[in-house]
Amino acid sequence: MNNSIAGNSNSNPADNEGHSTAKSSGAAAAPEARELKKGSLAALKGLLPFLLPYKKQFAMAGVALVVAAGSTLAIPVAFKQMIDLGFGAAGSAGNHIEHVNAVFLALFGVATVLALATAARFYTVSWLGERVTADIRSAVYRHVVTQSPEFFETTQTGEVLSRITTDTTLIQAVVGTSISMALRNILLFVGGLAMLFYTSAKLSSIILGLLVLTVVPIVLFGRRVRKLSRASQDRIADASAVAGEILNAMPTVQAFTHEKIETERFSASVESAFGTAMQRIRARAFLTMLAIVLVFGTIVFVLWLGAHAVLEGTMTGGDLGQFILYATTVAGAIGALSEVMGEAQRAAGATERLLELMSVKSDIQSPAHPLPLPPRAANGAALALNDVTFSYPSRPDTAALSHLSLDIKPGETIAVVGPSGAGKTTLFQLFLRFYDPQLGSIKLDGVDIRQLELHTLRNAIGIVPQDTVIFSTDAMENIRYGRFDATDEEVIQAAKMAAAHEFIERLPNGYQSFLGERGVRLSGGQRQRIAIARALLKNPPLLLLDEATSALDAESERLVQGALEAAMKGRTTVIIAHRLATVQRADRIIVMEDGKIVETGDHASLVALGGIYANLAALQFHNVQVVH
């Protein structure tokens, strides 16, 4: 005989009205995040809150950077001295040797200072890169886990993971390398340019004018590189989202023999990411080539003029040598800056994506001044719904609950039944304040739940969902998830109450047995009993059971039903019920249809009424009768 009273023994999307929204490839961008996209590197300003706590380290890196750049700029001066004084015609051979020795000794000293400063700079900026990246990852994750279910309806898990991993890695490269390289090359460019003018103002004016003309096409083409960088990151996130979704549903994929189809789908996503990446790489390669050709072409032309000046006697050989080295330094700095600009633009795209994620604010927030719950009563919590009307954000025109009022007394056990889509699961989501109703109020022990701190509210509620969540850890820690400060003895006691102790003890390592990802090493009934033990360990005044025995065999159901009856004592219990045994043990049965309560009573009175409950029962049972 089938023991289901309603036709939805499994969770149905229709019962979670509005949950089946199309998944976007990313979180909705806030207006300020969208504004950032209009600039080029403006998004990098969003990193400032993560950089400011480390001013001391940035100062140390800055000192090392200035010393290293100064050492580099001192080298051409030594070469000028060596050429003009060491190799010049004036003076004796002994003086020449002394000058050459002194110059090379000075060069070695400069190289030593340069090495020490470069090592200090590398260590400091690498530390900053790792530290800031770790802070960003933690901040993004901390922000994501506070979001309401609405966020997870419209954002794929793979997309979030891509932003936490791939995007933050790009930012790490910028903070840990590119910023330092950019500042170093800016210093070299400014210092080298100043020394160029000191050496020859005429040649420097020519070279500067030509360099300004070369910068314009580089900047214009750099904008295209930034757009392609953003697109490349989006495509990588799409591929991650596809992979994450399929890997989490591998048994279903294999059961329907869709391995080839899903492999081809992922390959197509990867190829799309590859194609976009190649566009970016080609654009960057062209940008680098353009920068080098234009910059070095300018320098070669000016050096040609300088060579003629030496031949004409208006410059010394040392001056030209110094000018060549400084020109090379300036050209190298510009080339390096163009390379860094490409990395910075990729990081700007990554930062935009992270800022979009960080800008999403949950509508469900704790109040600024929360009220406390009254002391817990011995027989559980009182729950009251007053004229509650609710529509899911994705379906605002369809009411999941309509003008629903319900009073549940402390210690009362309420069974909620009804066809799929009646609004049963929606009730649980409102009790937990995953959503707020558009109209009406829900009160726990006389306090509007919107006036409670979220942790206070949810700590007062225990839930056993129909879709059991098992974490990738051992049995002891999976049950202890109900209350982290519980002792091993309390965990074992909860397992015994949920009829889970016996099968856990039979596992290879008992309570220390690893249960596999999502509990793949357990049967459905065993996973359900772990979830029940977790809820019992929490010991809340209000217990929500989403057909907690649906996955159990007859013997396990008998054991768990006994455990649940004991657990219901001293607490208020609301059950989404499909099975006759559960329904008959309830103090009251609430029958829902289209988001409204249409019948209320006990089993016998509702069967006698001949309404929806009686029809649901008749569909599942050949002989409906009250069990005493």
Side-chain angles (χ1 to χ4, degrees), residues 494-516:
K496 288 179 178 178
M497 291 178 65
H501 177 72
E502 186 177 344
F503 84 77
I504 293 175
E505 285 284 275
R506 290 199 301 266
L507 295 174
N509 297 312
Y511 279 86
Q512 278 65 52
S513 297
F514 178 67
L515 302 183

Side-chain angles (χ1 to χ4, degrees), residues 80 165 172 382 396:
K80 170 182 165 52
T165 54
Q172 178 184 351

Side-chain angles (χ1 to χ4, degrees), residues 20-274:
S20 302
T21 55
K23 292 181 178 179
S24 68
S25 63
E32 58 269 28
R34 289 194 293 270
E35 277 298 313
L36 289 173
K37 294 182 187 178
K38 296 177 182 178
S40 54
L41 301 179
L44 292 177
K45 293 179 181 177
L47 298 179
L48 284 177
F50 300 100
L51 303 178
L52 290 177
Y54 305 108
K55 294 176 183 176
K56 180 181 176 182
Q57 287 81 359
F58 275 106
M60 292 169 58
V63 171
L65 193 63
V66 170
V67 172
S71 301
T72 303
L73 291 171
I75 293 174
V77 176
F79 273 94
K80 170 182 165 52
Q81 296 298 317
M82 182 179 64
I83 293 170
D84 285 346
L85 300 177
F87 299 150
S92 65
N95 286 337
H96 288 199
I97 292 172
E98 288 177 6
H99 280 302
V100 169
N101 291 342
V103 167
F104 276 97
L105 188 62
L107 275 175
F108 179 74
V110 170
T112 302
V113 173
L114 176 62
L116 292 172
T118 302
R121 175 187 61 81
F122 172 78
Y123 175 82
T124 309
V125 298
S126 296
W127 183 91
L128 283 166
E130 296 289 346
R131 180 69 266 165
V132 169
T133 302
D135 290 348
I136 291 172
R137 283 179 177 151
S138 296
V140 172
Y141 189 80
R142 185 166 55 247
H143 180 75
V144 167
V145 298
T146 62
Q147 298 304 303
S148 67
E150 181 185 356
F151 172 85
F152 296 99
E153 290 171 13
T154 56
T155 307
Q156 291 176 313
T157 304
E159 167 75 13
V160 175
L161 293 176
S162 173
R163 297 190 187 199
I164 291 175
T165 54
T166 308
D167 290 351
T168 51
T169 300
L170 288 174
I171 292 171
Q172 178 184 351
V174 169
V175 176
T177 305
S178 299
I179 290 178
S180 169
M181 292 296 293
L183 292 175
R184 175 179 178 273
N185 284 288
I186 287 171
L187 288 175
L188 291 178
F189 174 78
V190 173
L193 199 59
M195 292 304 294
L196 281 176
F197 273 94
Y198 175 78
T199 307
S200 173
K202 177 183 176 182
L203 292 180
S204 299
S205 299
I206 295 171
I207 199 172
L208 185 61
L210 292 175
L211 284 176
V212 169
L213 294 177
T214 65
V215 167
V216 174
I218 292 173
V219 170
L220 292 176
F221 200 77
R223 293 180 180 177
R224 172 170 168 76
V225 173
R226 186 186 70 84
K227 292 177 181 177
L228 289 172
S229 296
R230 168 73 193 226
S232 178
Q233 288 306 111
D234 285 341
R235 298 294 77 74
I236 292 170
D238 291 343
S240 298
V242 170
E245 181 181 23
I246 298 309
L247 291 176
N248 284 331
M250 193 50 65
T252 303
V253 171
Q254 293 176 345
F256 285 90
T257 64
H258 277 195
E259 295 94 333
K260 184 179 179 181
I261 293 172
E262 295 302 343
T263 300
E264 290 173 352
R265 188 157 75 96
F266 179 71
S267 296
S269 184
V270 169
E271 286 302 316
S272 175
F274 173 77

Side-chain angles (χ1 to χ4, degrees), residues 438-500:
Q438 283 81 27
L439 296 173
S441 64
I442 301 173
K443 294 183 178 181
L444 182 66
D445 283 334
V447 182
D448 191 318
I449 62 173
R450 283 174 289 202
Q451 299 301 313
L452 294 172
E453 206 275 333
L454 284 174
H455 284 187
T456 300
L457 169 67
R458 292 168 184 170
N459 280 336
I461 301 174
I463 183 166
V464 180
Q466 193 172 33
D467 258 340
T468 304
V469 174
I470 300 295
F471 299 97
S472 298
T473 183
D474 60 37
M476 180 72 75
E477 294 308 313
N478 259 288
I479 297 174
R480 206 195 307 273
Y481 201 83
R483 182 160 54 88
F484 271 129
D485 60 351
T487 64
D488 289 357
E489 291 73 21
E490 289 173 319
V491 170
I492 292 170
Q493 183 59 35
K496 288 179 178 178
M497 291 178 65

